[in-house]
Amino acid sequence: MQFAGGGFLQYHGGFGDDTVIIENRLDGLIVKSGYLPSTNLTLQSLPGNYIFCVHWFPALRTFILKYGVQNYSWHVMERSNENGNTFTVLSNETCPENTTMSNMSFNWIKQKNSCRFVFPHQNWNSTKFVDHEISEISQLLDKPGVATSGRVLRRWIDKTLSGVQFKGNSHHFGNGTLQASVFKLNSVDVLRSIPKKMGISVSVPKQVIEKAGSGKRLHVVTVHGTSVFKDAANSTVLGDKVIGVSVENTKVSNLCEDIMFNFEHEPVKTNLSPVCVFWNESTDGWSTFGCRTFPKENHTQCNCSHLTYFAVLMQYSSQKISEEHLVSLSVLTFVGCTISFLAALFTICWNFCTRKTHLNPTLNIHMNLLGAVLLLDFCFMSSAVLGAFDLPSVCKGSGMLLHFAQLCMFTWMGIEGFNLYRLVVKVFDSTSFATKKLAVIGWGFPALIVLVIFLVDFEYYGLYSINVDRPSSCNSRASICWLTEPIIHKVVNLGYFGIVFLFNCGMLTVMVVRVLHLMPHNRREQTQYCVTLLGLIFMLGLPWGIAFFSFGAVYLPVQYLFSILNSLQGLFIFFWYWALSQPHVKHPSRSLDSSSATPASPRSDQSTLMSDHKKLLT
């Protein structure tokens, strides 16, 4: 009975351990348990006798109060410590007048009338109770805004399926959002009894039975919707369906023969591709490690080497590369980066050991560009190696450093183009060139971009994967520590490089026009001009523009060309630097050095171009 002013519910956390206490008082209804935090609810006004139902969902750590025609819910997060309050009901304790609750039942078992009840922890060993609970949870998961803890729900499911008693070799629970089947693992053929309404098929190898041992159970769970499996990237799950396969109290991994899943779904769009993933409990996110993807028109087959919760993510399609080409490209890139790293390091050391002065701005620009190439080669090889390990924090740092190195190289290539503009058009004199300011731009601006991206969302850096047709391995993805958000790569990297590329193409065009205009007849001069132009192509980073053509039928040839040319960038610059540093036959009209030119209007004579040619090196 509700009294005037008694339309309240008070929930007290920290009482008892695995018990739920319900008490009726003059000032309202009291509910107590061992979970925190406490809360108060204002109920609708129902003076007199009323019907209510308190439902405790340990799988969701949620209480539901059905009071009249209204439903009230509150979510609890954590269990109180062992020293918390306890509550004891005395058998001879009398109830205040008109506070007795009648017709009380607990899981369909009628209780004696009283003003307070203590309900112990429920052992979910009845198929009737489990089926009812899973059905209720399914209805709650269908409602928007329901707070859920995926980890708590998954643990409850595994514990419940391990303890429920049933006849036969298998039993199925639920018909809605959450469905579960439990099997006695005495044969690999038991999974043939999975209901078709689950929309999946599972095949387990004999090794699973061998690892689990006799008497164990296999749990198969399907969850529709992504509220239980939310990752930081808000990944799109194909069909909003997640499959969980586990063996009770046993961790199964590193299987020699894969476990196979078939996800049934509608045909996917042409610009999307399915990717098999599993839920990584340690990072609360999806991972492709140990899984291979075999997409079909109306279903996707996933082969994985371990047991856990699996799903198929929808990602924008990218070109898939075969394992043979991946190995070839990897070898070419690693060998090229190693040679480029050593060549850049040698050139920098050579310059500092042979030069008497380091105040020439053009030379400083060359050395800073080589420093950026050296850093990029090292960071790329490190990120590729770290991508094979499950080290999230280290991978984020490596991805940030790789992004910083790439932006630095783009920036210094742009500065090289600006310096070429200064030399050819002769707008500025060398003395007005502030080397320190260029260093701040060349290294500081990329650092600022990386810092802003990290502060916006540190999850933008991490493990990035590409599709690989790799039948000889459990992993159909190749990974590197890099940017995880493709849109940032397109806007920041491709957009930034596109601007540098167009500007540097313009500068190179000016140089080519000037060379063609002179039309030198001396073979030595022709060779020197060709070497200068070829060197400028790599100094200005123009081979990076090949990336804009990596699509369609030319995708694979472009990948090889891109890997060879750009991984050896440091070596090509070294050759160019060495060629232009060789002594030439002096000629009166070409004895000018880098200090002979003074600011003037654009020049067209041959001696002037020779001076510009030498200044590109000195």
mmCIF file of all heavy atoms in Angstrom, residues 283-329:
data_model
loop_
_atom_site.group_PDB
_atom_site.id
_atom_site.type_symbol
_atom_site.label_atom_id
_atom_site.label_comp_id
_atom_site.label_asym_id
_atom_site.label_seq_id
_atom_site.Cartn_x
_atom_site.Cartn_y
_atom_site.Cartn_z
ATOM 1 N N THR A 283 41.972 -4.364 -25.258
ATOM 2 C CA THR A 283 41.932 -3.020 -25.841
ATOM 3 C C THR A 283 40.515 -2.506 -26.066
ATOM 4 O O THR A 283 40.345 -1.355 -26.473
ATOM 5 C CB THR A 283 42.668 -3.010 -27.189
ATOM 6 O OG1 THR A 283 42.031 -3.928 -28.095
ATOM 7 C CG2 THR A 283 44.125 -3.413 -27.011
ATOM 8 N N ASP A 284 39.505 -3.363 -25.790
ATOM 9 C CA ASP A 284 38.109 -2.981 -26.034
ATOM 10 C C ASP A 284 37.923 -2.488 -27.468
ATOM 11 O O ASP A 284 37.358 -1.416 -27.716
ATOM 12 C CB ASP A 284 37.634 -1.923 -25.044
ATOM 13 C CG ASP A 284 37.283 -2.521 -23.690
ATOM 14 O OD1 ASP A 284 36.969 -3.719 -23.644
ATOM 15 O OD2 ASP A 284 37.339 -1.795 -22.682
ATOM 16 N N GLY A 285 38.411 -3.277 -28.396
ATOM 17 C CA GLY A 285 38.275 -2.912 -29.800
ATOM 18 C C GLY A 285 38.407 -4.125 -30.693
ATOM 19 O O GLY A 285 38.757 -5.229 -30.252
ATOM 20 N N TRP A 286 38.116 -3.923 -31.975
ATOM 21 C CA TRP A 286 38.183 -5.007 -32.951
ATOM 22 C C TRP A 286 39.607 -5.166 -33.465
ATOM 23 O O TRP A 286 40.340 -4.188 -33.620
ATOM 24 C CB TRP A 286 37.236 -4.738 -34.121
ATOM 25 C CG TRP A 286 35.790 -4.695 -33.747
ATOM 26 C CD1 TRP A 286 34.982 -3.605 -33.688
ATOM 27 C CD2 TRP A 286 34.975 -5.825 -33.379
ATOM 28 N NE1 TRP A 286 33.718 -3.965 -33.311
ATOM 29 C CE2 TRP A 286 33.675 -5.322 -33.116
ATOM 30 C CE3 TRP A 286 35.204 -7.183 -33.245
ATOM 31 C CZ2 TRP A 286 32.630 -6.143 -32.721
ATOM 32 C CZ3 TRP A 286 34.162 -8.001 -32.855
ATOM 33 C CH2 TRP A 286 32.884 -7.489 -32.607
ATOM 34 N N SER A 287 39.984 -6.412 -33.752
ATOM 35 C CA SER A 287 41.310 -6.713 -34.281
ATOM 36 C C SER A 287 41.186 -7.809 -35.325
ATOM 37 O O SER A 287 40.319 -8.677 -35.239
ATOM 38 C CB SER A 287 42.249 -7.153 -33.154
ATOM 39 O OG SER A 287 43.491 -7.592 -33.675
ATOM 40 N N THR A 288 42.063 -7.768 -36.317
ATOM 41 C CA THR A 288 42.052 -8.771 -37.390
ATOM 42 C C THR A 288 43.053 -9.887 -37.167
ATOM 43 O O THR A 288 43.102 -10.818 -37.968
ATOM 44 C CB THR A 288 42.383 -8.097 -38.732
ATOM 45 O OG1 THR A 288 43.696 -7.500 -38.648
ATOM 46 C CG2 THR A 288 41.363 -7.021 -39.073
ATOM 47 N N PHE A 289 43.832 -9.802 -36.092
ATOM 48 C CA PHE A 289 44.928 -10.760 -35.908
ATOM 49 C C PHE A 289 44.377 -12.189 -35.791
ATOM 50 O O PHE A 289 43.479 -12.465 -35.004
ATOM 51 C CB PHE A 289 45.724 -10.417 -34.650
ATOM 52 C CG PHE A 289 46.946 -11.267 -34.478
ATOM 53 C CD1 PHE A 289 48.097 -10.998 -35.191
ATOM 54 C CD2 PHE A 289 46.934 -12.357 -33.613
ATOM 55 C CE1 PHE A 289 49.225 -11.775 -35.048
ATOM 56 C CE2 PHE A 289 48.058 -13.144 -33.458
ATOM 57 C CZ PHE A 289 49.205 -12.853 -34.178
ATOM 58 N N GLY A 290 44.947 -13.092 -36.573
ATOM 59 C CA GLY A 290 44.553 -14.497 -36.518
ATOM 60 C C GLY A 290 43.318 -14.838 -37.309
ATOM 61 O O GLY A 290 42.829 -15.965 -37.209
ATOM 62 N N CYS A 291 42.787 -13.915 -38.110
ATOM 63 C CA CYS A 291 41.564 -14.165 -38.878
ATOM 64 C C CYS A 291 41.794 -13.885 -40.357
ATOM 65 O O CYS A 291 42.506 -12.947 -40.729
ATOM 66 C CB CYS A 291 40.408 -13.285 -38.372
ATOM 67 S SG CYS A 291 39.812 -13.725 -36.726
ATOM 68 N N ARG A 292 41.178 -14.706 -41.182
ATOM 69 C CA ARG A 292 41.202 -14.524 -42.626
ATOM 70 C C ARG A 292 39.783 -14.369 -43.134
ATOM 71 O O ARG A 292 38.853 -14.951 -42.595
ATOM 72 C CB ARG A 292 41.898 -15.704 -43.320
ATOM 73 C CG ARG A 292 43.385 -15.816 -43.016
ATOM 74 C CD ARG A 292 44.006 -16.952 -43.809
ATOM 75 N NE ARG A 292 43.511 -18.257 -43.366
ATOM 76 C CZ ARG A 292 43.591 -19.363 -44.093
ATOM 77 N NH1 ARG A 292 44.066 -19.307 -45.319
ATOM 78 N NH2 ARG A 292 43.147 -20.512 -43.617
ATOM 79 N N THR A 293 39.632 -13.601 -44.206
ATOM 80 C CA THR A 293 38.312 -13.274 -44.739
ATOM 81 C C THR A 293 38.142 -13.864 -46.127
ATOM 82 O O THR A 293 39.012 -13.699 -46.986
ATOM 83 C CB THR A 293 38.121 -11.748 -44.806
ATOM 84 O OG1 THR A 293 38.388 -11.179 -43.522
ATOM 85 C CG2 THR A 293 36.700 -11.405 -45.223
ATOM 86 N N PHE A 294 36.993 -14.550 -46.344
ATOM 87 C CA PHE A 294 36.653 -15.112 -47.650
ATOM 88 C C PHE A 294 35.238 -14.643 -48.006
ATOM 89 O O PHE A 294 34.250 -15.304 -47.685
ATOM 90 C CB PHE A 294 36.732 -16.638 -47.632
ATOM 91 C CG PHE A 294 38.096 -17.178 -47.292
ATOM 92 C CD1 PHE A 294 38.418 -17.485 -45.980
ATOM 93 C CD2 PHE A 294 39.050 -17.352 -48.278
ATOM 94 C CE1 PHE A 294 39.676 -17.976 -45.658
ATOM 95 C CE2 PHE A 294 40.312 -17.838 -47.968
ATOM 96 C CZ PHE A 294 40.623 -18.152 -46.651
ATOM 97 N N PRO A 295 35.123 -13.472 -48.636
ATOM 98 C CA PRO A 295 33.794 -12.924 -48.931
ATOM 99 C C PRO A 295 33.116 -13.621 -50.095
ATOM 100 O O PRO A 295 33.752 -13.973 -51.087
ATOM 101 C CB PRO A 295 34.096 -11.459 -49.260
ATOM 102 C CG PRO A 295 35.500 -11.474 -49.767
ATOM 103 C CD PRO A 295 36.209 -12.583 -49.041
ATOM 104 N N LYS A 296 31.809 -13.836 -49.941
ATOM 105 C CA LYS A 296 30.959 -14.357 -51.005
ATOM 106 C C LYS A 296 29.827 -13.360 -51.226
ATOM 107 O O LYS A 296 29.737 -12.327 -50.560
ATOM 108 C CB LYS A 296 30.410 -15.731 -50.636
ATOM 109 C CG LYS A 296 31.477 -16.759 -50.254
ATOM 110 C CD LYS A 296 32.391 -17.105 -51.410
ATOM 111 C CE LYS A 296 33.422 -18.158 -50.995
ATOM 112 N NZ LYS A 296 34.356 -18.495 -52.093
ATOM 113 N N GLU A 297 28.940 -13.699 -52.165
ATOM 114 C CA GLU A 297 27.881 -12.757 -52.496
ATOM 115 C C GLU A 297 26.898 -12.575 -51.346
ATOM 116 O O GLU A 297 26.555 -11.451 -50.991
ATOM 117 C CB GLU A 297 27.124 -13.229 -53.750
ATOM 118 C CG GLU A 297 26.027 -12.257 -54.188
ATOM 119 C CD GLU A 297 25.321 -12.712 -55.453
ATOM 120 O OE1 GLU A 297 25.695 -13.780 -55.985
ATOM 121 O OE2 GLU A 297 24.409 -12.002 -55.890
ATOM 122 N N ASN A 298 26.431 -13.680 -50.750
ATOM 123 C CA ASN A 298 25.409 -13.610 -49.705
ATOM 124 C C ASN A 298 25.906 -14.068 -48.342
ATOM 125 O O ASN A 298 25.123 -14.170 -47.408
ATOM 126 C CB ASN A 298 24.185 -14.448 -50.106
ATOM 127 C CG ASN A 298 23.471 -13.883 -51.326
ATOM 128 O OD1 ASN A 298 23.258 -12.684 -51.420
ATOM 129 N ND2 ASN A 298 23.134 -14.747 -52.274
ATOM 130 N N HIS A 299 27.167 -14.369 -48.228
ATOM 131 C CA HIS A 299 27.717 -14.732 -46.926
ATOM 132 C C HIS A 299 29.225 -14.504 -46.942
ATOM 133 O O HIS A 299 29.847 -14.394 -48.004
ATOM 134 C CB HIS A 299 27.392 -16.181 -46.556
ATOM 135 C CG HIS A 299 28.171 -17.200 -47.318
ATOM 136 N ND1 HIS A 299 27.802 -17.640 -48.581
ATOM 137 C CD2 HIS A 299 29.322 -17.866 -47.013
ATOM 138 C CE1 HIS A 299 28.651 -18.532 -49.011
ATOM 139 N NE2 HIS A 299 29.604 -18.693 -48.081
ATOM 140 N N THR A 300 29.781 -14.413 -45.767
ATOM 141 C CA THR A 300 31.226 -14.225 -45.615
ATOM 142 C C THR A 300 31.767 -15.314 -44.707
ATOM 143 O O THR A 300 31.236 -15.534 -43.605
ATOM 144 C CB THR A 300 31.546 -12.839 -45.011
ATOM 145 O OG1 THR A 300 31.100 -11.823 -45.907
ATOM 146 C CG2 THR A 300 33.043 -12.690 -44.778
ATOM 147 N N GLN A 301 32.804 -15.980 -45.160
ATOM 148 C CA GLN A 301 33.439 -17.028 -44.354
ATOM 149 C C GLN A 301 34.650 -16.451 -43.639
ATOM 150 O O GLN A 301 35.489 -15.795 -44.242
ATOM 151 C CB GLN A 301 33.865 -18.201 -45.234
ATOM 152 C CG GLN A 301 34.563 -19.327 -44.462
ATOM 153 C CD GLN A 301 34.975 -20.472 -45.353
ATOM 154 O OE1 GLN A 301 34.216 -20.896 -46.223
ATOM 155 N NE2 GLN A 301 36.183 -20.984 -45.153
ATOM 156 N N CYS A 302 34.699 -16.704 -42.340
ATOM 157 C CA CYS A 302 35.821 -16.258 -41.518
ATOM 158 C C CYS A 302 36.557 -17.476 -40.972
ATOM 159 O O CYS A 302 35.934 -18.353 -40.368
ATOM 160 C CB CYS A 302 35.343 -15.388 -40.357
ATOM 161 S SG CYS A 302 34.528 -13.848 -40.860
ATOM 162 N N ASN A 303 37.838 -17.534 -41.199
ATOM 163 C CA ASN A 303 38.696 -18.583 -40.645
ATOM 164 C C ASN A 303 39.615 -17.958 -39.606
ATOM 165 O O ASN A 303 40.408 -17.073 -39.934
ATOM 166 C CB ASN A 303 39.531 -19.242 -41.746
ATOM 167 C CG ASN A 303 38.692 -20.078 -42.689
ATOM 168 O OD1 ASN A 303 37.473 -19.953 -42.720
ATOM 169 N ND2 ASN A 303 39.326 -20.928 -43.457
ATOM 170 N N CYS A 304 39.497 -18.413 -38.353
ATOM 171 C CA CYS A 304 40.273 -17.825 -37.266
ATOM 172 C C CYS A 304 40.953 -18.912 -36.452
ATOM 173 O O CYS A 304 40.486 -20.054 -36.391
ATOM 174 C CB CYS A 304 39.381 -16.975 -36.356
ATOM 175 S SG CYS A 304 38.597 -15.579 -37.194
ATOM 176 N N SER A 305 42.052 -18.541 -35.829
ATOM 177 C CA SER A 305 42.881 -19.514 -35.120
ATOM 178 C C SER A 305 42.644 -19.500 -33.617
ATOM 179 O O SER A 305 43.449 -20.040 -32.873
ATOM 180 C CB SER A 305 44.362 -19.225 -35.399
ATOM 181 O OG SER A 305 44.708 -17.921 -34.947
ATOM 182 N N HIS A 306 41.569 -18.899 -33.154
ATOM 183 C CA HIS A 306 41.287 -18.834 -31.717
ATOM 184 C C HIS A 306 39.786 -18.690 -31.515
ATOM 185 O O HIS A 306 39.025 -18.521 -32.478
ATOM 186 C CB HIS A 306 42.024 -17.651 -31.078
ATOM 187 C CG HIS A 306 41.889 -16.374 -31.857
ATOM 188 N ND1 HIS A 306 40.741 -15.619 -31.839
ATOM 189 C CD2 HIS A 306 42.755 -15.746 -32.687
ATOM 190 C CE1 HIS A 306 40.914 -14.561 -32.610
ATOM 191 N NE2 HIS A 306 42.128 -14.618 -33.149
ATOM 192 N N LEU A 307 39.342 -18.773 -30.269
ATOM 193 C CA LEU A 307 37.931 -18.659 -29.927
ATOM 194 C C LEU A 307 37.687 -17.401 -29.110
ATOM 195 O O LEU A 307 38.405 -17.117 -28.157
ATOM 196 C CB LEU A 307 37.470 -19.880 -29.119
ATOM 197 C CG LEU A 307 37.588 -21.250 -29.792
ATOM 198 C CD1 LEU A 307 36.991 -22.330 -28.891
ATOM 199 C CD2 LEU A 307 36.905 -21.252 -31.148
ATOM 200 N N THR A 308 36.670 -16.650 -29.489
ATOM 201 C CA THR A 308 36.243 -15.447 -28.764
ATOM 202 C C THR A 308 34.984 -14.938 -29.469
ATOM 203 O O THR A 308 34.254 -15.719 -30.080
ATOM 204 C CB THR A 308 37.357 -14.384 -28.738
ATOM 205 O OG1 THR A 308 36.910 -13.258 -28.006
ATOM 206 C CG2 THR A 308 37.768 -13.964 -30.121
ATOM 207 N N TYR A 309 34.745 -13.625 -29.431
ATOM 208 C CA TYR A 309 33.612 -13.031 -30.136
ATOM 209 C C TYR A 309 34.091 -12.474 -31.471
ATOM 210 O O TYR A 309 35.101 -11.761 -31.542
ATOM 211 C CB TYR A 309 32.970 -11.931 -29.297
ATOM 212 C CG TYR A 309 32.100 -12.475 -28.184
ATOM 213 C CD1 TYR A 309 32.649 -12.866 -26.971
ATOM 214 C CD2 TYR A 309 30.730 -12.623 -28.361
ATOM 215 C CE1 TYR A 309 31.863 -13.380 -25.958
ATOM 216 C CE2 TYR A 309 29.926 -13.129 -27.355
ATOM 217 C CZ TYR A 309 30.503 -13.511 -26.154
ATOM 218 O OH TYR A 309 29.711 -14.031 -25.163
ATOM 219 N N PHE A 310 33.342 -12.808 -32.534
ATOM 220 C CA PHE A 310 33.753 -12.440 -33.889
ATOM 221 C C PHE A 310 32.643 -11.649 -34.573
ATOM 222 O O PHE A 310 31.470 -11.745 -34.231
ATOM 223 C CB PHE A 310 34.062 -13.688 -34.723
ATOM 224 C CG PHE A 310 35.132 -14.557 -34.135
ATOM 225 C CD1 PHE A 310 34.819 -15.588 -33.250
ATOM 226 C CD2 PHE A 310 36.468 -14.356 -34.455
ATOM 227 C CE1 PHE A 310 35.791 -16.394 -32.711
ATOM 228 C CE2 PHE A 310 37.449 -15.158 -33.916
ATOM 229 C CZ PHE A 310 37.116 -16.174 -33.036
ATOM 230 N N ALA A 311 33.065 -10.880 -35.573
ATOM 231 C CA ALA A 311 32.117 -10.121 -36.388
ATOM 232 C C ALA A 311 32.766 -9.842 -37.736
ATOM 233 O O ALA A 311 33.948 -10.125 -37.968
ATOM 234 C CB ALA A 311 31.720 -8.818 -35.701
ATOM 235 N N VAL A 312 31.974 -9.283 -38.629
ATOM 236 C CA VAL A 312 32.470 -8.851 -39.934
ATOM 237 C C VAL A 312 32.265 -7.352 -40.026
ATOM 238 O O VAL A 312 31.130 -6.867 -39.955
ATOM 239 C CB VAL A 312 31.737 -9.569 -41.091
ATOM 240 C CG1 VAL A 312 32.241 -9.041 -42.427
ATOM 241 C CG2 VAL A 312 31.937 -11.070 -41.004
ATOM 242 N N LEU A 313 33.350 -6.611 -40.150
ATOM 243 C CA LEU A 313 33.270 -5.161 -40.272
ATOM 244 C C LEU A 313 33.184 -4.771 -41.735
ATOM 245 O O LEU A 313 33.740 -5.439 -42.610
ATOM 246 C CB LEU A 313 34.487 -4.483 -39.638
ATOM 247 C CG LEU A 313 34.724 -4.698 -38.146
ATOM 248 C CD1 LEU A 313 35.865 -3.810 -37.682
ATOM 249 C CD2 LEU A 313 33.469 -4.408 -37.336
ATOM 250 N N MET A 314 32.503 -3.673 -41.975
ATOM 251 C CA MET A 314 32.420 -3.128 -43.326
ATOM 252 C C MET A 314 33.408 -1.979 -43.438
ATOM 253 O O MET A 314 33.351 -1.026 -42.675
ATOM 254 C CB MET A 314 30.998 -2.644 -43.631
ATOM 255 C CG MET A 314 29.965 -3.751 -43.637
ATOM 256 S SD MET A 314 30.411 -5.096 -44.760
ATOM 257 C CE MET A 314 30.500 -4.226 -46.311
ATOM 258 N N GLN A 315 34.327 -2.090 -44.392
ATOM 259 C CA GLN A 315 35.315 -1.057 -44.627
ATOM 260 C C GLN A 315 35.310 -0.692 -46.096
ATOM 261 O O GLN A 315 34.954 -1.505 -46.955
ATOM 262 C CB GLN A 315 36.718 -1.524 -44.214
ATOM 263 C CG GLN A 315 36.845 -1.801 -42.729
ATOM 264 C CD GLN A 315 38.257 -2.196 -42.346
ATOM 265 O OE1 GLN A 315 39.116 -2.409 -43.211
ATOM 266 N NE2 GLN A 315 38.507 -2.297 -41.057
ATOM 267 N N TYR A 316 35.693 0.561 -46.369
ATOM 268 C CA TYR A 316 35.794 0.975 -47.759
ATOM 269 C C TYR A 316 36.837 0.127 -48.476
ATOM 270 O O TYR A 316 37.921 -0.112 -47.955
ATOM 271 C CB TYR A 316 36.142 2.459 -47.863
ATOM 272 C CG TYR A 316 34.978 3.352 -47.532
ATOM 273 C CD1 TYR A 316 34.868 3.940 -46.281
ATOM 274 C CD2 TYR A 316 33.987 3.586 -48.473
ATOM 275 C CE1 TYR A 316 33.793 4.754 -45.964
ATOM 276 C CE2 TYR A 316 32.895 4.399 -48.174
ATOM 277 C CZ TYR A 316 32.813 4.980 -46.920
ATOM 278 O OH TYR A 316 31.744 5.777 -46.617
ATOM 279 N N SER A 317 36.484 -0.325 -49.649
ATOM 280 C CA SER A 317 37.328 -1.262 -50.374
ATOM 281 C C SER A 317 38.671 -0.636 -50.728
ATOM 282 O O SER A 317 38.755 0.522 -51.110
ATOM 283 C CB SER A 317 36.639 -1.719 -51.665
ATOM 284 O OG SER A 317 35.436 -2.398 -51.371
ATOM 285 N N SER A 318 39.684 -1.408 -50.581
ATOM 286 C CA SER A 318 41.013 -1.031 -51.035
ATOM 287 C C SER A 318 41.552 -2.170 -51.887
ATOM 288 O O SER A 318 41.080 -3.301 -51.805
ATOM 289 C CB SER A 318 41.944 -0.773 -49.845
ATOM 290 O OG SER A 318 42.064 -1.929 -49.048
ATOM 291 N N GLN A 319 42.516 -1.854 -52.703
ATOM 292 C CA GLN A 319 43.095 -2.880 -53.564
ATOM 293 C C GLN A 319 43.696 -3.990 -52.709
ATOM 294 O O GLN A 319 44.455 -3.728 -51.778
ATOM 295 C CB GLN A 319 44.160 -2.261 -54.457
ATOM 296 C CG GLN A 319 43.617 -1.275 -55.490
ATOM 297 C CD GLN A 319 42.946 -1.971 -56.643
ATOM 298 O OE1 GLN A 319 42.061 -1.433 -57.260
ATOM 299 N NE2 GLN A 319 43.362 -3.168 -56.944
ATOM 300 N N LYS A 320 43.360 -5.220 -53.028
ATOM 301 C CA LYS A 320 43.943 -6.360 -52.318
ATOM 302 C C LYS A 320 45.176 -6.824 -53.070
ATOM 303 O O LYS A 320 45.183 -6.899 -54.294
ATOM 304 C CB LYS A 320 42.925 -7.493 -52.197
ATOM 305 C CG LYS A 320 43.474 -8.707 -51.454
ATOM 306 C CD LYS A 320 42.433 -9.798 -51.320
ATOM 307 C CE LYS A 320 41.380 -9.443 -50.314
ATOM 308 N NZ LYS A 320 40.485 -10.579 -49.997
ATOM 309 N N ILE A 321 46.200 -7.130 -52.324
ATOM 310 C CA ILE A 321 47.464 -7.543 -52.919
ATOM 311 C C ILE A 321 47.756 -8.975 -52.501
ATOM 312 O O ILE A 321 47.430 -9.389 -51.385
ATOM 313 C CB ILE A 321 48.591 -6.584 -52.485
ATOM 314 C CG1 ILE A 321 49.854 -6.847 -53.296
ATOM 315 C CG2 ILE A 321 48.877 -6.694 -51.000
ATOM 316 C CD1 ILE A 321 50.900 -5.766 -53.107
ATOM 317 N N SER A 322 48.348 -9.741 -53.402
ATOM 318 C CA SER A 322 48.629 -11.140 -53.096
ATOM 319 C C SER A 322 49.822 -11.245 -52.152
ATOM 320 O O SER A 322 50.627 -10.318 -52.006
ATOM 321 C CB SER A 322 48.916 -11.916 -54.382
ATOM 322 O OG SER A 322 50.124 -11.487 -54.967
ATOM 323 N N GLU A 323 49.951 -12.411 -51.524
ATOM 324 C CA GLU A 323 51.050 -12.618 -50.585
ATOM 325 C C GLU A 323 52.402 -12.546 -51.288
ATOM 326 O O GLU A 323 53.372 -12.006 -50.737
ATOM 327 C CB GLU A 323 50.890 -13.978 -49.901
ATOM 328 C CG GLU A 323 51.943 -14.259 -48.844
ATOM 329 C CD GLU A 323 51.748 -15.616 -48.184
ATOM 330 O OE1 GLU A 323 51.031 -16.450 -48.760
ATOM 331 O OE2 GLU A 323 52.325 -15.823 -47.104
ATOM 332 N N GLU A 324 52.477 -13.073 -52.535
ATOM 333 C CA GLU A 324 53.747 -13.054 -53.260
ATOM 334 C C GLU A 324 54.200 -11.626 -53.532
ATOM 335 O O GLU A 324 55.375 -11.270 -53.329
ATOM 336 C CB GLU A 324 53.618 -13.819 -54.584
ATOM 337 C CG GLU A 324 53.388 -15.310 -54.423
ATOM 338 C CD GLU A 324 51.945 -15.656 -54.064
ATOM 339 O OE1 GLU A 324 51.100 -14.730 -54.086
ATOM 340 O OE2 GLU A 324 51.673 -16.831 -53.771
ATOM 341 N N HIS A 325 53.285 -10.794 -53.995
ATOM 342 C CA HIS A 325 53.636 -9.403 -54.274
ATOM 343 C C HIS A 325 53.912 -8.638 -52.982
ATOM 344 O O HIS A 325 54.770 -7.736 -52.977
ATOM 345 C CB HIS A 325 52.516 -8.724 -55.058
ATOM 346 C CG HIS A 325 52.393 -9.187 -56.479
ATOM 347 N ND1 HIS A 325 53.422 -9.052 -57.385
ATOM 348 C CD2 HIS A 325 51.369 -9.792 -57.138
ATOM 349 C CE1 HIS A 325 53.044 -9.551 -58.553
ATOM 350 N NE2 HIS A 325 51.807 -10.009 -58.438
ATOM 351 N N LEU A 326 53.213 -8.985 -51.912
ATOM 352 C CA LEU A 326 53.484 -8.324 -50.635
ATOM 353 C C LEU A 326 54.911 -8.593 -50.175
ATOM 354 O O LEU A 326 55.622 -7.675 -49.738
ATOM 355 C CB LEU A 326 52.494 -8.807 -49.570
ATOM 356 C CG LEU A 326 52.749 -8.279 -48.151
ATOM 357 C CD1 LEU A 326 52.514 -6.781 -48.087
ATOM 358 C CD2 LEU A 326 51.857 -9.008 -47.145
ATOM 359 N N VAL A 327 55.344 -9.843 -50.299
ATOM 360 C CA VAL A 327 56.716 -10.189 -49.903
ATOM 361 C C VAL A 327 57.720 -9.460 -50.786
ATOM 362 O O VAL A 327 58.714 -8.891 -50.294
ATOM 363 C CB VAL A 327 56.921 -11.711 -49.979
ATOM 364 C CG1 VAL A 327 58.386 -12.066 -49.742
ATOM 365 C CG2 VAL A 327 56.039 -12.422 -48.960
ATOM 366 N N SER A 328 57.469 -9.436 -52.096
ATOM 367 C CA SER A 328 58.389 -8.767 -53.023
ATOM 368 C C SER A 328 58.482 -7.275 -52.728
ATOM 369 O O SER A 328 59.583 -6.702 -52.664
ATOM 370 C CB SER A 328 57.936 -8.991 -54.468
ATOM 371 O OG SER A 328 57.901 -10.367 -54.791
ATOM 372 N N LEU A 329 57.328 -6.628 -52.543
ATOM 373 C CA LEU A 329 57.320 -5.194 -52.252
ATOM 374 C C LEU A 329 57.971 -4.893 -50.906
ATOM 375 O O LEU A 329 58.670 -3.884 -50.759
ATOM 376 C CB LEU A 329 55.884 -4.664 -52.280
ATOM 377 C CG LEU A 329 55.232 -4.564 -53.659
ATOM 378 C CD1 LEU A 329 53.749 -4.243 -53.523
ATOM 379 C CD2 LEU A 329 55.921 -3.494 -54.503
#
